[in-house]
């Protein structure tokens, strides 16, 4: 059987993007060095806030074409607080990519890794294992795409426009029910979808909630329930171990995913995948962390676990179980690297930065590969 070569568009971006991407490709190179069925060919492409400052565009046409041609997109981080568009908003090309490639589902797994301390003292924190599914094509971020809707020459008010469509909501919930079914197949205690909204106040959310219950009826094998976003902010602190799959509106997902990352060791531990019907982009949940960029303090784990999500997704897309096996091997290597509790990131008050954490993951990966 011939070896399949996947083309991966690599966008390191701004701030710590380069550092964590280097760590990630080192780990991937080791993981796949002797993999007979498939490998990766990387196409590095520019873009980001600094690129915008230098050239006037955040994502050049060549980058968009490279992403379009690729089998998957691996993305570091983009955006720098001091570089802004004329209307005062930050340059966030990742949001443009979500629109360009219709990456409607922001999948953010929140899983406690043994050996990584949680801020929660309750021992059940070790069981935290849920997934936020952030709607990314509409919601309260929608108006951002249409700056022309702001009244011109008006220094007294501004508008934010939200949008909720039937099609956008149906695909979000269908994706979430499918994901819950997959998770239950791997773990019988899973299989529950909780819609997070603010349907008691906002019309768009009431519509979203109505469609949730319509889709729940079509998925009677999965437990469906609902929670207002303010209550969910509380519940994610009080009893996060109770949840499984949490589909939610764009802005709410943005906020809750930072909160949720705090439960499992910080943003440096929190991977994500932006998934559409055709394209997949994989990036850590965090931003470019300019406060620590260039200091070797960035935790590359979220980036590396995002690459594991990419492997799993490629395996499903191409009916290639070997990619799923490598995803699992990579996740297990990450878990084993932290299991002793001796590896501690700067975010958690430790002294281990990018190099030390990458070395620990490479060492545990080498052990697993030697046993294979
Ligand atoms: P964005 O809005 O672009 O998602 P953000 O406002 O969430 O970004 P981040 O860039 O993610 O901001 O940084 C938030 C905080 O988390 C900063 O103090 C940063 O240093 C820290 N942080 C983020 N990612 C990491 C990482 N991989 N390792 C260590 N610390 C990180």
């Amino acid at each position: 059987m011939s070896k399949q070569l996947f083309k991966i568009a690599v966008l390191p971006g701004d701030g710590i993007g380069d550092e964590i991407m280097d760590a990630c490709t080192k780990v991937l190179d080791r993981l796949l060095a002797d993999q007979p069925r498939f490998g990766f060919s990387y196409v590095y492409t520019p873009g980001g806030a600094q690129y915008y400052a230098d050239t006037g565009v955040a994502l050049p046409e060549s980058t968009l074409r490279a992403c379009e041609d690729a089998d998957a997109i691996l993305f570091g981080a983009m955006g720098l607080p001091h570089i802004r568009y004329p209307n005062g908003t930050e340059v966030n090309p990742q949001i443009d990519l979500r629109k360009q490639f219709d990456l409607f589902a922001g999948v953010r797994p929140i899983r406690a890794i043994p050996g990584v301390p949680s801020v929660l003292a309750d021992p059940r924190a070790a069981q935290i294992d849920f997934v936020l599914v952030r709607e990314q094509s509409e919601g309260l971020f929608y108006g951002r795409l249409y700056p022309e809707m702001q009244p011109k020459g008006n220094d007294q008010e501004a508008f934010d426009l939200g949008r909720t469509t039937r099609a956008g909501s149906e695909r979000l919930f269908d994706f979430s029910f499918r994901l819950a079914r997959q998770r239950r197949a791997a773990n019988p205690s899973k299989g529950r979808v909780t819609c997070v909204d603010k349907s008691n106040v906002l019309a768009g959310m009431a519509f979203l909630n109505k469609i949730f219950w319509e889709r729940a009826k079509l998925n009677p094998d999965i437990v469906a329930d609902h929670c207002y976003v303010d209550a969910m902010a509380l519940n994610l602190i009080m009893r996060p171990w109770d949840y499984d799959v949490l589909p939610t509106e764009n802005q709410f997902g943005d906020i809750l995913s930072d909160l949720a990352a705090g439960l499992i060791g910080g943003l440096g531990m929190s991977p994500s995948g932006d998934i559409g019907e055709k394209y997949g982009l994989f990036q850590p949940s965090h931003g470019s962390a300019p406060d620590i960029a260039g200091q070797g303090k960035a935790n590359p784990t979220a980036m590396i676990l995002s690459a594991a999500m990419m492997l799993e997704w490629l395996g499903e897309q191409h009916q290639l179980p070997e990619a799923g096996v490598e995803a699992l091997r990579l996740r297990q290597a990450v878990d084993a690297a932290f299991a002793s509790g001796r590896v501690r990131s700067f975010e958690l008050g430790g002294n281990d930065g990018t190099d030390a954490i990458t070395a620990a993951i490479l060492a545990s990966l080498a052990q697993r590969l030697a046993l294979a």
Side-chain angles (χ1 to χ4, degrees):
M1 224 177 272
S2 68
K3 183 164 166 170
Q4 197 163 351
L5 204 57
F6 291 116
K7 209 190 275 179
I8 310 294
V10 181
L11 286 71
D14 295 307
I16 61 170
D18 274 327
E19 305 159 43
I20 57 171
M21 190 62 84
D22 274 357
C24 180
T25 50
K26 256 187 213 138
V27 169
L28 284 176
D29 287 348
R30 181 68 199 86
L31 177 73
L32 302 182
D34 301 315
Q35 168 52 248
R37 286 285 286 117
F38 75 98
F40 289 158
S41 129
Y42 300 118
V43 181
Y44 279 79
T45 57
Q50 190 56 54
Y51 193 82
Y52 170 80
D54 295 343
T55 67
V57 285
L59 289 171
E61 201 51 34
S62 58
T63 291
L64 293 176
R65 292 293 79 79
C67 291
E68 195 174 85
D69 288 348
D71 294 294
I73 305 163
L74 201 52
F75 186 103
M78 288 188 188
L80 292 168
H82 63 285
I83 300 177
R84 301 205 170 222
Y85 289 123
N87 71 356
T89 60
E90 268 190 48
V91 179
N92 279 316
Q94 60 272 32
I95 305 182
D96 303 320
L97 284 169
R98 286 173 198 156
K99 177 168 168 55
Q100 174 86 18
F101 296 107
D102 200 18
L103 306 170
F104 67 90
V107 181
R108 293 161 178 214
I110 300 292
R111 180 176 67 91
I113 293 184
V116 178
S118 173
V119 286
L120 301 182
D122 193 307
R124 287 174 292 180
Q127 298 160 24
I128 294 173
D129 180 11
F130 63 88
V131 186
L132 278 158
V133 186
R134 171 184 175 186
E135 201 295 320
Q136 299 194 139
S137 65
E138 45 189 43
L140 294 171
F141 273 37
Y142 180 75
R144 179 193 168 275
L145 301 168
Y146 300 94
E148 66 278 8
M149 284 180 172
Q150 294 302 331
K152 296 265 176 316
N154 181 344
D155 200 29
Q156 302 304 315
E157 59 183 345
F159 293 95
D160 287 309
L161 176 75
R163 184 185 195 215
T164 307
T165 66
R166 168 168 286 281
S169 307
E170 286 181 351
R171 67 182 180 174
L172 171 76
F173 295 131
D174 291 348
F175 184 98
S176 301
F177 282 108
R178 270 198 310 277
L179 181 61
R181 198 166 288 118
Q182 270 173 13
R183 284 169 59 81
R184 189 186 52 193
N187 175 355
S189 73
K190 296 295 177 188
R192 175 179 172 200
V193 178
T194 307
C195 175
V196 182
D197 62 46
K198 192 70 183 165
S199 51
N200 50 341
V201 175
L202 299 170
M205 300 277 177
F207 184 57
L208 184 84
N209 181 276
K210 176 175 105 110
I211 294 168
F212 172 70
W213 289 111
E214 285 177 16
R215 303 319 277 184
K217 272 201 195 116
L218 301 176
N219 292 276
D221 59 315
I222 300 294
V223 179
D225 67 356
H226 160 265
C227 187
Y228 295 127
V229 65
D230 41 346
M232 184 54 84
L234 176 74
N235 293 347
L236 286 186
I237 301 295
M238 301 294 285
R239 49 185 183 90
W241 40 83
D242 279 352
Y243 291 106
D244 184 14
V245 177
L246 306 177
T248 190
E249 183 276 336
N250 205 339
Q251 171 76 80
F252 294 166
D254 186 33
I255 297 167
L256 289 180
S257 63
D258 272 30
L259 183 154
L263 301 172
I264 53 153
L267 283 166
M269 300 302 293
S270 181
S272 88
D274 291 347
I275 311 290
E277 303 293 352
K278 187 163 172 222
Y279 296 95
L281 178 153
F282 300 85
Q283 66 171 125
S285 292
H286 57 76
S288 64
D291 53 331
I292 57 165
Q295 299 170 32
K297 289 184 174 174
N299 180 355
T301 309
M303 182 78 245
I304 291 167
L305 289 174
S306 302
M309 291 177 75
M310 179 176 81
L311 280 158
E312 194 165 42
W313 181 79
L314 282 169
E316 285 163 13
Q317 296 290 303
H318 298 269
Q319 286 85 46
L320 187 69
E322 289 84 351
V325 169
E326 298 302 350
L328 185 63
R329 198 195 313 275
L330 183 49
R331 254 183 228 123
Q332 288 173 341
V334 169
D335 285 10
F338 284 98
S340 71
R342 282 194 295 275
V343 176
R344 186 69 53 96
S345 69
F346 279 93
E347 260 185 312
L348 285 172
N351 290 312
D352 293 319
T354 318
D355 288 348
I357 296 174
T358 309
I361 294 172
L362 282 169
S364 85
L365 186 56
Q367 274 180 4
R368 296 194 133 56
L369 288 165
L371 292 174

